[in-house]
Amino acid sequence: MEPEVKIQRRKTRQIFVGNVPVGGDAPISVQSMTNTETCDVDATVGQIRRLQDAGVDIVRVSVPTMDAAEAFGHIRKQVDVPLVADIHYDYKIALAVAEKGVDCLRINPGNIGREDRIKAVIQCAKDKGLPIRIGVNAGSLEKELQRKYGEPTSDALVESALRHVDILDRHDFQDFKVSVKASNVFMTLQAYRKLSAQIEQPLHLGVTEAGTFRSGTVKSAVALGSLLMEGIGDTIRISLAADPVEEVRVGFDILKSLNLRKKGVNIIACPSCSRQNFDVIKTVNELEARLEDINESVDLAVIGCLVNGPGEAREADVGLTGGTPNNLSYLDGEKSHHVTADNLVDELERMVRAKVKKQREDEAKGIIARSE
């Protein structure tokens, strides 16, 4: 078996968003953002809880008004995941949510206005021990930079970010992370590469306005996957015009594909052809839905025939290869037992859950380390 490639990550300063470390040697965290009306507390809390069930590490909530800031306080009391308040321009909102238990402020200091307002927000962050996220987007660059560059470019994104960084530096504030997002993959890549060479703070990766579930997933996988393989990036958000829960799932799938996080069931499946001895696509789709609640790391191989089946099944924790008259299951690389086609999904689910149960028992005994 090919030895596992370990990505050498860029060394960054570590900050904490609530109890989640970002940067340094911390696991790369997965974020999402609510798309409910923040003033609808019940709807927002419900969505955050669904994101937690999906395994999200950090959740961002838009806080555009003082009424939303008031609602944020009620939301904060009902969930225990770290929350980032997304604020633009109004420094009073930043001060308000700081009093209501926010874990991080997403606000660009250069957009706050007068120096006394900037100083008030930074001092508040210092007093409360809150990090700040600088978030630069190609679609909202400063007018001066738009005139200078004529259009959004990677250099314009980096210059905008460094202006905000300079403000925090002048106020001796170092607990921040930065994003430089564009909807264009190449611009995103170049911006993050350039910025990573100039600051020590952690980078929040993302492709902004990436698009629908399918196209946005592809763009994000290409851009973020490339950066992560280069060791760039400390936390990620997949921006999709879809249910935010899908952002979390896609984020973890990207990290799992690069061996940067191990979470949940990793399904290895053939695309199927006329050699298949059972309906592979139907089987794996049903298994994926049934096994979504599992957070432990398990590799499950489902292959429809004997051509590639045995090889893939032996490398997985739980495996199945199609065969005639019956299919053959594998456990921990060894042949286990035959399974009929009409009992595939139930039996594979049983085997995976038994594997997870044993992992938990071994973990409790200190035999294995907890998966990240």
Side-chain angles (χ1 to χ4, degrees):
M1 183 178 178
E2 189 77 15
E4 184 176 298
V5 175
K6 187 171 179 61
I7 293 172
Q8 296 299 312
R9 291 174 57 195
R10 163 181 169 263
K11 295 187 183 300
T12 56
R13 177 189 180 93
Q14 189 171 93
I15 64 173
F16 278 82
V17 179
N19 61 356
V20 175
V22 177
D25 59 357
I28 295 171
S29 52
V30 175
Q31 306 194 24
S32 186
M33 184 174 182
T34 58
N35 59 12
T36 55
E37 169 57 58
T38 302
C39 288
D40 187 339
V41 173
D42 290 342
T44 305
V45 168
Q47 189 170 78
I48 292 172
R49 286 176 176 166
R50 289 198 303 113
L51 290 168
Q52 286 185 273
D53 289 342
V56 76
D57 296 306
I58 300 167
V59 177
R60 182 157 44 115
V61 178
S62 177
V63 188
T65 65
M66 289 303 290
D67 286 342
E70 187 65 27
F72 182 91
H74 297 294
I75 294 165
R76 170 73 285 175
K77 293 175 183 177
Q78 297 182 57
V79 298
D80 55 9
V81 68
L83 296 181
V84 178
D86 193 273
I87 303 160
H88 291 273
Y89 308 118
D90 192 339
Y91 81 107
K92 292 180 181 178
I93 295 176
L95 300 179
V97 294
E99 297 299 327
K100 298 183 182 299
V102 74
D103 297 293
C104 178
L105 298 172
R106 193 279 196 193
I107 187 167
N108 291 343
N111 296 341
I112 297 173
R114 299 196 311 259
E115 180 69 20
D116 61 321
R117 296 177 178 178
I118 296 172
K119 186 175 181 179
V121 170
I122 294 174
Q123 189 59 51
C124 177
K126 284 183 178 181
D127 293 343
K128 298 288 186 181
L130 300 175
I132 289 174
R133 176 189 152 204
I134 295 170
V136 175
N137 278 45
S140 57
L141 285 167
E142 296 92 322
K143 290 182 179 179
E144 179 189 341
L145 291 177
Q146 293 179 34
R147 289 193 295 268
K148 177 179 177 179
Y149 290 95
E151 62 183 3
T153 66
S154 60
D155 286 333
L157 287 170
V158 172
E159 184 171 340
S160 176
L162 292 177
R163 287 182 176 188
H164 298 299
V165 169
D166 184 59
I167 292 171
L168 296 180
D169 281 344
R170 291 203 312 267
H171 289 82
D172 193 27
F173 189 88
Q174 299 300 319
D175 289 337
F176 62 88
K177 53 192 171 110
V178 187
S179 66
V180 280
K181 299 183 181 181
S183 58
N184 178 280
V185 169
F186 292 102
M187 191 186 307
T188 299
L189 288 170
Q190 291 303 317
Y192 277 109
R193 285 166 177 160
K194 292 171 182 176
L195 184 62
S196 69
Q198 298 186 59
I199 64 172
E200 66 172 1
Q201 277 72 19
L203 296 182
H204 168 124
L205 301 187
V207 176
T208 194
E209 287 97 32
T212 60
F213 176 71
R214 186 179 69 182
S215 63
T217 295
V218 172
K219 279 186 182 180
S220 298
V222 171
L224 273 61
S226 298
L227 291 167
L228 291 167
M229 288 179 70
E230 296 173 19
I232 297 171
D234 302 280
T235 184
I236 65 173
R237 190 260 172 121
I238 311 300
S239 298
L240 300 175
D243 185 337
V245 169
E246 298 297 343
E247 297 184 349
V248 179
R249 292 171 179 161
V250 172
F252 275 111
D253 282 345
I254 291 172
L255 295 179
K256 285 193 293 185
S257 73
L258 297 173
N259 297 319
L260 288 168
R261 289 285 292 268
K262 294 183 178 180
K263 178 185 177 301
V265 179
N266 176 40
I267 297 179
I268 300 121
C270 66
S272 79
C273 69
S274 63
R275 290 193 302 267
Q276 67 181 0
N277 292 98
F278 59 90
D279 190 332
V280 174
I281 294 173
K282 180 181 178 181
T283 299
V284 295
N285 283 338
E286 189 168 347
L287 282 167
E288 186 174 59
R290 288 196 190 188
L291 300 172
E292 278 181 355
D293 62 299
I294 293 175
N295 288 324
E296 284 79 5
S297 175
V298 178
D299 285 337
L300 169 62
V302 181
I303 311 298
C305 76
L306 290 169
V307 175
N308 296 320
E312 291 288 356
R314 281 195 296 267
E315 296 298 330
D317 298 305
V318 176
L320 183 91
T321 180
T324 303
N326 290 315
N327 310 294
L328 180 62
S329 68
Y330 288 73
L331 182 63
D332 295 327
E334 301 292 333
K335 292 178 182 179
S336 181
H337 58 282
H338 287 97
V339 185
T340 60
D342 60 358
N343 192 38
L344 278 182
V345 175
D346 289 342
E347 182 59 15
L348 288 174
E349 180 184 8
R350 183 197 67 77
M351 292 178 70
V352 169
R353 293 193 182 279
K355 177 70 176 177
V356 170
K357 181 181 179 182
K358 186 175 187 307
Q359 284 184 2
R360 290 172 179 169
E361 291 171 350
D362 289 346
E363 183 182 311
K365 296 174 184 175
I367 298 174
I368 60 172
R370 183 174 176 80
S371 297
E372 257 303 348

